[in-house]
Each structure stands twice: as C-alpha cells, then as structure tokens.
Amino acid sequence: MDKILVTGGLGFIGSHTVVELQNEGYEVVIIDDLSNSSESVLDGIISITGKTPIFEKLDLKDKAGVEAFFKNHNDIKGVIHFAASKAVGESVKEPLLYYENNISTLVYILKELQKLPSAGFIFSSSCTVYGQADELPITENATVKQAESPYGNTKQIGEEIISDTCKVTPNLKAIALRYFNPVGSHETAKIGELPIGVPQNLVPFITQTAIGIRQELSIFGDDYPTPDGTCIRDYIHVVDLAKAHVVALNRLLQNKNKSNYETFNLGTGTGSSVLEVVQAFEKVSGEKLNYKIVGRREGDIISAYANTTKANEELGWKTELNLEDAMRSAWKWEQVVRKKG
Ligand code: UFG
C-alpha cells in the first residue's frame, strides 16, 4: 500500500487523520517536532488501529533534515501537511515566527516533492481566507479577503505558493482543504484535542470549564446581528474532517482530480451560535455550564458557514456526525484526560 507522510501527525487533526489513513490501509510516516503535541499520542493511534506508524521527530525548518528524510523515504506517494503554528493572537505578536514556521517549511517540502516522479499534496487551509464573507453559506468562489492576522496570511500565501508550484510541476497535484471549525474527538477517547495552557478555542474552553479547570466561560459578545446575538460558526467533527483528507488523497492518487490544484471547503453547512454550542454541550453532558457574556473579541467575524456542494458532489464526501456527537466526544475525552492527570 502507498506510503503517506503526515506532517504534524501527532497534533489534533493530524492524529485523527493518521487513524483514518491506517484504517484505509495506507502506510503512514509521521513527522512532528512535538512543539505542540506529545509522543504519547502515538499510543492512542496504535491502540485504535492496531498498527504502528513510523515516527520521526523533526523540525521542518531544518532544511537539510527534510532533504535527508526524503532521501530515506523516496517511495512516498503523498503528503498531508498539517504541521504549522495556529494561534491567531500569537501570530499578531510574532509575525516572523509564523512566516518562518508556516511558510519556509512548506517551501522545503514542496522542493522535495518536485524531485519525486509523482506526488499528491494535501494542505491544511482555513475558512479564515474568506474573512467575513459577503454571502452565506460560503462557496469556494467567495473572494479571498485581506488576511486579518499573520496566521491567516500564512494560509493565503501557502495556497498561492502551492498553486504556483503546481503550474510548473506536472508531477505534483495538490488540494487545499479549507476547514471551518474542527471540534470533538475520536469516539474511543484515545486521541483528542490537547491545548497547551489556556484554550483559545470555544469547545476546549467549555469542556475545561465543565470539569472545573476554568471558572467560567466568557462568551465574547451577544450584540452581533445574529438571531441570539452571538457569533455563528460551522463546527465540524474532527473525525469527519479526517475522513475528508483520505478522500482527497485518494482523489489525487487515483488521478480523479480535475486540475493540478484544487480547493474544497470542509464544513457541515450548518451554522451554530456560541449559545447553541453551549446548549448542545449541556444537553449531551447533563452538566450546567458556568458562563457570562463579556465584550466582543477583537478580530472575530460575525458569521461563517460552508456551502458544502463542491465537497459533497465533486469530492464525494459528506459529514456523518453532528454538533451533539462532537460535544459528546469532546466531553468524554476531557474526562479521560483529567483522569489520566
Ligand atoms: N468564543 C467565546 N469564548 C471563548 C472562545 C471563543 O465566546 O472563550 C467564541 C468566539 O468569539 C467565536 C466562537 O466562539 O465566536 C468560535 O471561536 P474559536 O476561537 O473557537 O474559533 P474561531 O472561529 O475564532 O477560529 C477558528 C480557528 C482559527 C481560524 C478561524 C477562521 O481556531 O484557527 O477559525 O475563522 F483562523
């Protein structure tokens, strides 16, 4: 079976994707620098799939290290590239860290892929490239707006770098997947989201509040022009998202792609408000969540949810799990993690 490199394969979305790749029969090699993950995630992957991926601890900024890796693994058929920094606020404070971490690493990998006889490349992009879209739901043809943060800019520039490279590299085919808001964890609660420090994202903040690590959730603004006044997002279960990567990879390896560079939105198509997420959590957990309404968070867009037609019809993928499934699995995971201590 084909050998696939997953960079950032011990991270949140990466680890769930490794599981789905191994379930599909792919041989997986993980590169991770463990800067925002832990080697123990491997145990979870092995326990779920019964298969052990190859793991190399490598910082992708190490250009010589990347070259040596590809010399050793010149039979790689595809790369799913998750490894990147992803904190929006941090990127505003340290732009060069983000440009170096997210852009130079991408360039080094693409340079190696140019040397292979053929390769498929899947890129972790984000709905952040659309900013506040003029029309909802958001299609892939929506305008890419000026990025609000260096993080968002690395996704836009990353897409352009890949598209430019594909134009001059006939042996390279790529898909950029624009994620909406990934949440939840594997149903076995053997892998999940492990934010370091205070979570910036809504769902881990909710579960950490419910378990008692955080005192209360601050809801950032209830005066937005939405039905209940809180912001709307498209929360997609990470297992559905992981499966989409396998479908996208299959598309490239089976030459079903329509052009050498394609983009797809990955979301459920349903927008949920912050208050609806809290309600879904309370329903599936039976817990009452402590929260208060505070002022708006700078940089938040009002509403974003995906038009899923292209992903459903062209990619042939659709979500199978809903927000309650995601909240149930996130809660189960939080309880397991805290028991482990
Ligand atoms: N929110 C709260 N309280 C919190 C955390 C979040 O009310 O403690 C609200 C936010 O204001 C927002 C919603 O919950 O309305 C979702 O916030 P997240 O931080 O979970 O997600 P974002 O949509 O802001 O960010 C996500 C990814 C980013 C990506 C962005 C693109 O985390 O990497 O989508 O839109 F850039």
Side-chain angles (χ1 to χ4, degrees):
M1 198 61 188
D2 289 336
K3 190 194 267 189
I4 306 302
L5 166 63
V6 182
T7 72
L10 298 181
F12 173 42
I13 309 173
S15 58
H16 288 81
T17 302
V18 170
V19 165
E20 298 305 325
L21 286 169
Q22 294 198 145
N23 285 344
E24 184 94 352
Y26 283 108
E27 185 188 352
V28 176
V29 186
I30 294 172
I31 288 180
D32 202 300
D33 69 355
L34 303 178
S35 61
N36 195 17
S37 61
S38 147
E39 208 168 334
S40 65
V41 174
L42 271 178
D43 301 335
I45 293 171
I46 295 164
S47 166
I48 294 168
T49 63
K51 293 176 196 163
T52 307
I54 300 169
F55 169 56
E56 290 213 16
K57 182 174 182 291
L58 179 67
D59 181 343
L60 294 167
K61 294 195 294 294
D62 171 4
K63 193 176 181 208
V66 173
E67 273 175 32
F69 172 86
F70 276 91
K71 270 207 184 96
N72 267 339
H73 296 278
N74 60 6
D75 53 345
I76 277 177
K77 294 290 186 300
V79 176
I80 306 184
H81 181 45
F82 293 105
S85 299
K86 61 170 186 178
V88 176
E90 182 185 49
S91 79
V92 176
K93 289 190 197 113
E94 293 197 67
L96 292 180
L97 181 77
Y98 273 66
Y99 291 118
E100 187 176 31
N101 281 354
N102 295 5
I103 301 298
S104 67
T105 55
L106 173 65
V107 171
Y108 298 159
I109 293 172
L110 291 175
K111 278 193 162 184
E112 294 309 309
L113 295 187
Q114 281 191 317
K115 298 177 192 167
L116 296 180
S118 78
F121 185 76
I122 310 288
F123 181 61
S124 288
S125 190
S126 166
C127 69
T128 195
V129 302
Y130 302 119
Q132 179 58 66
D134 300 325
E135 271 179 52
L136 296 166
I138 303 172
T139 71
E140 288 79 356
N141 293 327
T143 315
V144 169
K145 295 260 175 78
Q146 163 114 44
E148 297 249 357
S149 68
Y151 160 77
N153 208 20
T154 66
K155 294 300 175 190
Q156 295 189 5
I157 297 168
E159 288 195 7
E160 287 168 10
I161 289 172
I162 298 162
S163 160
D164 288 345
T165 308
C166 284
K167 279 182 204 147
V168 295
T169 317
N171 54 343
L172 180 65
K173 294 170 286 186
I175 292 178
L177 297 175
R178 294 171 174 167
Y179 315 151
F180 283 68
N181 289 53
V183 293
S185 81
H186 198 266
E187 59 171 1
T188 59
K190 289 179 172 171
I191 53 173
E193 190 170 8
L194 268 181
I196 292 173
V198 182
Q200 306 299 309
N201 295 114
L202 178 63
V203 172
F205 207 104
I206 288 177
T207 56
Q208 288 196 9
T209 304
I211 207 128
I213 300 172
R214 311 282 155 212
Q215 221 180 357
E216 63 185 348
L217 168 76
S218 294
I219 294 184
F220 300 133
D222 69 347
D223 56 352
Y224 285 98
T226 62
D228 67 21
T230 62
C231 291
I232 290 175
R233 298 286 184 276
D234 186 338
Y235 296 91
I236 175 172
H237 197 299
V238 67
V239 172
D240 277 330
L241 188 65
K243 287 179 177 168
H245 290 75
V246 180
V247 174
L249 183 74
N250 290 342
R251 176 181 177 87
L252 294 182
L253 299 185
Q254 294 162 10
N255 292 313
K256 290 186 180 152
N257 52 309
K258 290 199 173 144
S259 66
N260 268 11
Y261 174 70
E262 299 175 306
T263 54
F264 292 97
N265 285 345
L266 297 182
T268 66
T270 302
S272 305
S273 73
V274 179
L275 283 171
E276 283 170 337
V277 176
V278 170
Q279 281 154 15
F281 173 77
E282 290 184 332
K283 183 175 165 201
V284 299
S285 68
E287 302 283 325
K288 189 94 199 71
L289 192 79
N290 202 11
Y291 70 84
K292 66 171 178 209
I293 309 287
V294 301
R296 293 182 177 194
R297 179 170 73 176
E298 204 187 321
D300 266 340
I301 54 167
I302 304 163
S303 186
Y305 49 96
N307 178 311
T308 61
T309 308
K310 191 176 174 201
N312 295 163
E313 292 178 4
E314 253 182 70
L315 198 57
W317 162 89
K318 62 177 177 22
T319 55
E320 290 164 356
L321 300 163
N322 61 27
L323 180 61
E324 288 187 8
D325 297 320
M327 298 311 286
R328 201 177 292 114
S329 65
W331 180 227
K332 190 174 166 190
W333 167 246
E334 186 72 62
Q335 291 170 297
V336 168
V337 170
R338 297 312 149 191
K339 245 191 226 132
K340 273 191 208 153

